[in-house]
Amino acid sequence: MEAINQSRFKELKATGQLPSPKGVALALLNLMQQEDVTIQSIAHVVQTDPALSGRLIKFANSLHFNTRRPIASVSEAVMMIGLPMVRQLVLGFSVLSDHRNGKCNAFNYQQFWSCSLATAIANQALSAQAKTSSEETFTCGLLSGIGRLTLATLFPDKYATVLSTAAGAPPDELNRLEQEQFDTDHNELAAALLKEWGFPLILIETIYHHENPEKGDFQAGSRAYTLVHSLSLSRSLANLCIADEGSRRALLPGLYVLGARLGIDAEALMTLSDHVVSEWQQWGKILDVPTQELPSFAEMAASLPPLVEVAGSEASGKTDQAELPLRILIVDDDKAVSNYLQKLLASHGHTVFSAADGQEGLEKVIEYNPQLVISDWVMPNMDGIAFCKSLRTTRGGRELYFIILTALADEDRLVEAFEAGVDDYLVKPFSVKVLMARLRAGQRLTQLKEEISREREEVRRIASELAVTNRRLQRLALTDPLTLLPNRRYGMDSLEQEWEAAKNSARPLTCMLIDLDRFKQINDTYGHDTGDVALKQAAKILKNAARTQDIVSRIGGEEFMVICPDTQLKEGAQYAELIRRTFEDSLINAGADRVKINVSIGVAQYNPTMPHFSALIKAADDALYQAKLNGRNKVVACTSVTSR
């Protein structure tokens, strides 16, 4: 990842206009930098801002946490979310509240935040589904476009000109124009700001590359690959959420391709997208961000036309390949020429539309989706060359076969035409014989493109099916069949990964081992069926209690492990006590009886002196042993452990 020129960023920072937290949010961020900060002190400051309190409680109660009972207090919400995520949420909500409007007249601030909110919700949902266990994915999505907001804030007039020039162009063109005008671009600015705010490097790289993930050169299947493609898919889904009805038809097919890269089949993607839209609408009311009503994604998919439209005669096998009927758009301000071409081409079985200039031609391309364009060069408003250049910047326009009509065929003009993206030309006045010969060349190329398109669609279908199968096999290999929790193998692999992350970034890591008290007695008294019910109930309690960054697994018998990234020992012990009390309040059915389940929990924190991640498990196991010796139904942290 190329870093922004530091001297340039310092210049921009010195203006004092960069997006930054203020008020209660700034006080919270400063407080959370203190080593002895407590959940109670954080909650006390949050409560001074009723709006922020409501947003954090809403987030704690969101479906991503699957809480067993609703969270009603700020302190519970902070404990459930975890301090690292609270910090990122406070930052994101603060920037949103302070930058709802601005002076850049070409920058739609309301639409920007609506799209950013949808991106955040989609990114969090995809992260939960992919089990990437990254607690900042919501805020990562919310702030993924912060660079564009920054440029609109710092340079409202100049950036309005850049946005107008780049309208409809791909992201790379916008980046190029930004570099020319500001000596930086929105992706570089976003990366610099997130680094300034203390985001992890992997999320900074995710945001920097999400508009073009292939440039990131991430290894397929790696965590970085999953994060950047998840954010790319989230942004595409968000663009569809804010689009008008006509634009959604063009955006929807692209979602399936992005989903397949993450192993998500079409049906699962539609279900997830419907959930994202519902959450987006709920969050929009809470944050006062505009949203809109959308049909279900199944309804939108059903309204799409077939990938390739085939004429009835072709379907019956009677049409020669060289005479494939085409959808042709005639663009010419001379009505006599336009009418003549329409009648001529229609008589050969083609479907023909017309437009009087390039501007109207762009509208007709969107409306009728032609396969071939015949355009005059000289026209009012937008001439043929400008029209062709505009078409080539769009996805559908790049596929069109473009023939231009010209009165002059000198070498320089033809070079200009081909450089603009023209495929062929006709010199006026033209003969019907030459026109039809040029048209057959376009027919052959169009037919070849459609065959390639069908083959690609088949490859995507097969890839989607393989992705589903691979995900199912991987899930079976890493899942405990009784409790449906991740198994010992998954738990140990995850602990090793989090161990390496903690060691490399000096971030805290806590691990707890949980053992069901007197489980053998339950089996002996009520039978193994009741024992299985007890294990399933324990798994459900742990899953419901887990925070978004936690990793819960069954590691054997009646023993479970919970990995808590970015968690200090004191916070981990508080969390363990919350789990213990939840078990203490729970009963399971054992025939006519109701049986109470108690647990003993050992908690340990990563220490740089530990030689291997197994040392962390050993410390938690010693703490668990001490809890058993002390009478069971207790939480013991490693600092009070006496080794066996």
Side-chain angles (χ1 to χ4, degrees):
M1 181 184 73
E2 298 179 6
I4 183 176
N5 182 290
Q6 289 302 310
S7 61
R8 180 56 172 153
F9 182 66
K10 288 179 180 178
E11 291 175 10
L12 299 178
K13 185 178 178 182
T15 65
Q17 297 180 24
L18 290 176
S20 59
K22 299 178 177 63
V24 173
L26 182 60
L28 276 169
L29 297 181
N30 291 333
L31 179 62
M32 281 188 263
Q33 292 179 354
Q34 301 176 13
E35 292 184 0
D36 59 347
V37 64
T38 64
I39 289 175
Q40 287 71 26
S41 61
I42 295 295
H44 179 73
V45 177
V46 171
Q47 287 169 344
T48 63
D49 186 335
L52 180 59
S53 299
R55 291 165 185 173
L56 290 182
I57 291 174
K58 158 67 179 173
F59 194 85
N61 281 308
S62 69
L63 294 179
H64 307 306
F65 294 100
N66 294 313
T67 49
R68 184 172 62 87
R69 59 182 179 81
I71 300 299
S73 68
V74 173
S75 58
E76 281 185 298
V78 172
M79 181 180 294
M80 178 63 70
I81 297 170
L83 294 186
M85 193 170 198
V86 169
R87 183 181 185 278
Q88 304 299 349
L89 287 172
V90 167
L91 179 65
F93 291 150
S94 173
V95 173
L96 186 156
S97 297
D98 295 334
H99 294 82
R100 291 183 181 276
N101 298 291
K103 298 178 180 178
C104 183
N105 56 26
F107 189 83
N108 190 328
Y109 293 85
Q110 294 298 310
Q111 189 179 79
F112 169 81
W113 283 118
S114 184
C115 184
S116 298
L117 178 60
T119 304
I121 294 166
N123 203 36
Q124 183 70 19
L126 286 168
S127 173
Q129 178 161 317
K131 297 182 179 179
T132 49
S133 66
S134 176
E135 68 276 10
E136 296 100 336
T137 48
F138 181 92
T139 318
C140 179
L142 189 65
L143 298 179
S144 57
I146 192 69
R148 290 186 290 126
L149 176 68
T150 301
L151 289 172
T153 302
L154 293 173
F155 312 104
D157 295 332
K158 290 182 179 180
Y159 198 48
T161 302
V162 168
L163 291 176
S164 299
T165 303
D172 285 348
E173 177 63 13
L174 176 59
N175 289 344
R176 185 188 67 78
L177 292 172
E178 290 171 346
Q179 286 285 355
E180 287 182 357
Q181 185 67 47
F182 309 114
D183 196 25
T184 185
D185 60 52
H186 63 272
N187 287 322
E188 288 185 353
L189 270 176
L193 277 170
L194 296 181
K195 183 179 180 182
E196 180 87 0
W197 292 335
F199 271 66
L201 177 60
I202 190 171
L203 294 183
I204 295 174
E205 290 182 335
T206 295
I207 289 178
Y208 183 81
H209 290 291
H210 81 279
E211 289 180 345
N212 196 339
E214 304 308 322
K215 286 190 176 181
D217 196 25
F218 299 111
Q219 183 179 357
S222 66
R223 185 182 180 208
Y225 178 95
T226 301
L227 287 172
V228 74
H229 281 85
S230 292
L231 185 56
S232 178
L233 173 56
S234 299
R235 175 64 67 176
S236 296
L237 176 54
N239 286 334
L240 191 147
C241 286
I242 64 173
D244 57 42
E245 183 177 355
S247 302
R248 290 180 212 139
R249 294 164 60 87
L251 295 173
L252 189 57
L255 291 183
Y256 298 137
V257 177
L258 295 174
R261 292 177 184 172
L262 293 169
I264 305 174
D265 62 282
E267 184 176 352
L269 182 60
M270 286 191 289
T271 301
L272 181 141
S273 299
D274 286 335
H275 166 72
V276 168
V277 170
S278 176
E279 286 282 292
W280 173 56
Q281 291 164 344
Q282 292 180 40
W283 272 103
K285 294 176 183 177
I286 293 172
L287 297 176
D288 193 23
V289 169
T291 61
Q292 63 176 339
E293 292 296 325
L294 294 176
S296 72
F297 275 73
E299 292 174 359
M300 283 190 270
S303 69
L304 286 176
L307 184 65
V308 180
E309 294 184 16
V310 183
S313 57
E314 183 192 25
S316 65
K318 297 179 180 178
T319 301
D320 180 56
Q321 289 186 347
E323 296 297 329
L324 176 71
L326 296 174
R327 296 184 303 279
I328 301 176
L329 175 65
I330 307 298
V331 184
D332 200 318
D333 61 320
D334 187 331
K335 290 186 177 180
V337 174
S338 180
N339 290 337
Y340 171 72
L341 285 173
Q342 288 184 68
K343 291 179 181 178
L344 174 66
L345 297 175
S347 68
H348 283 75
H350 302 294
T351 302
V352 188
F353 313 98
S354 66
D357 56 44
Q359 190 63 51
E360 186 182 353
L362 290 173
E363 297 172 1
K364 292 296 179 69
V365 166
I366 295 173
E367 184 177 358
Y368 296 113
N369 188 28
Q371 297 160 301
L372 185 144
V373 172
I374 300 175
S375 173
D376 191 20
W377 187 313
V378 180
M379 295 181 292
N381 299 324
M382 178 184 285
D383 66 19
I385 295 299
F387 172 44
C388 185
K389 286 181 178 179
S390 296
L391 276 180
R392 296 315 192 199
T393 63
T394 65
R395 178 185 296 179
R398 288 194 292 269
E399 299 296 322
L400 291 175
Y401 194 86
F402 197 102
I403 300 175
I404 198 160
L405 303 177
T406 176
L408 299 173
D410 65 87
E411 188 175 280
D412 290 340
R413 283 176 67 83
L414 292 179
V415 169
E416 180 186 358
F418 286 117
E419 287 182 347
V422 166
D423 295 299
D424 206 345
Y425 70 96
L426 275 172
V427 179
K428 297 190 294 186
F430 53 83
S431 71
V432 174
K433 187 176 181 180
V434 172
L435 170 63
M436 301 313 294
R438 300 290 172 92
L439 202 62
R440 281 192 291 274
Q443 286 174 312
R444 287 192 293 271
L445 185 58
T446 298
Q447 186 170 8
L448 179 61
K449 287 179 179 179
E450 293 186 346
E451 288 174 358
I452 293 173
S453 180
R454 284 194 293 269
E455 290 174 0
R456 284 178 178 171
E457 185 65 22
E458 180 66 13
V459 169
R460 288 170 188 156
R461 184 188 65 78
I462 294 172
S464 180
E465 291 176 356
L466 286 175
V468 173
T469 301
N470 288 336
R471 284 182 58 221
R472 287 173 180 165
L473 290 173
Q474 185 179 34
R475 192 183 302 117
L476 287 173
L478 299 175
T479 301
D480 173 55
L482 176 64
T483 63
L484 300 183
L485 285 177
N487 60 18
R488 179 183 182 85
R489 175 184 168 190
Y490 182 91
M492 293 304 171
D493 288 347
S494 298
L495 182 59
E496 184 175 10
Q497 290 177 11
E498 295 298 338
W499 166 277
E500 291 295 331
K503 183 170 66 173
N504 294 334
S505 61
R507 298 170 76 177
L509 172 66
T510 296
C511 174
M512 64 176 76
L513 292 182
I514 302 170
D515 190 86
L516 272 60
D517 292 336
R518 296 185 174 87
F519 180 72
K520 184 177 184 300
Q521 206 172 58
I522 295 175
N523 273 335
D524 292 343
T525 304
Y526 301 102
H528 287 279
D529 288 345
T530 300
D532 288 348
V533 172
L535 290 171
K536 292 178 181 177
Q537 177 76 357
K540 183 178 180 181
I541 290 172
L542 291 174
K543 184 178 179 181
N544 288 344
R547 302 167 300 178
T548 189
Q549 73 265 37
D550 298 332
I551 303 168
V552 182
S553 60
R554 182 189 179 195
I555 59 174
E558 66 272 24
E559 195 167 31
F560 299 83
M561 178 171 67
V562 181
I563 304 167
C564 305
D566 296 301
T567 303
Q568 299 283 357
L569 181 64
K570 181 178 179 181
E571 184 186 352
Q574 291 174 333
Y575 175 34
E577 177 60 24
L578 179 66
I579 292 174
R580 186 199 66 78
R581 290 201 305 267
T582 303
F583 273 95
E584 193 174 45
D585 295 338
S586 300
L587 296 171
I588 66 166
N589 292 321
D593 297 325
R594 300 272 285 170
V595 180
K596 177 179 289 189
I597 310 174
N598 290 328
V599 293
S600 298
I601 305 178
V603 188
Q605 182 178 351
Y606 160 75
N607 188 306
T609 63
M610 292 177 174
H612 190 259
F613 75 89
S614 60
L616 179 57
I617 299 177
K618 176 64 166 59
D621 191 45
D622 286 343
L624 174 61
Y625 180 73
Q626 191 67 33
K628 293 284 189 181
L629 288 180
N630 291 345
R632 296 183 173 83
N633 192 24
K634 290 189 178 358
V635 173
V636 173
C638 65
T639 54
S640 61
V641 172
T642 301
S643 297
R644 285 177 267 178

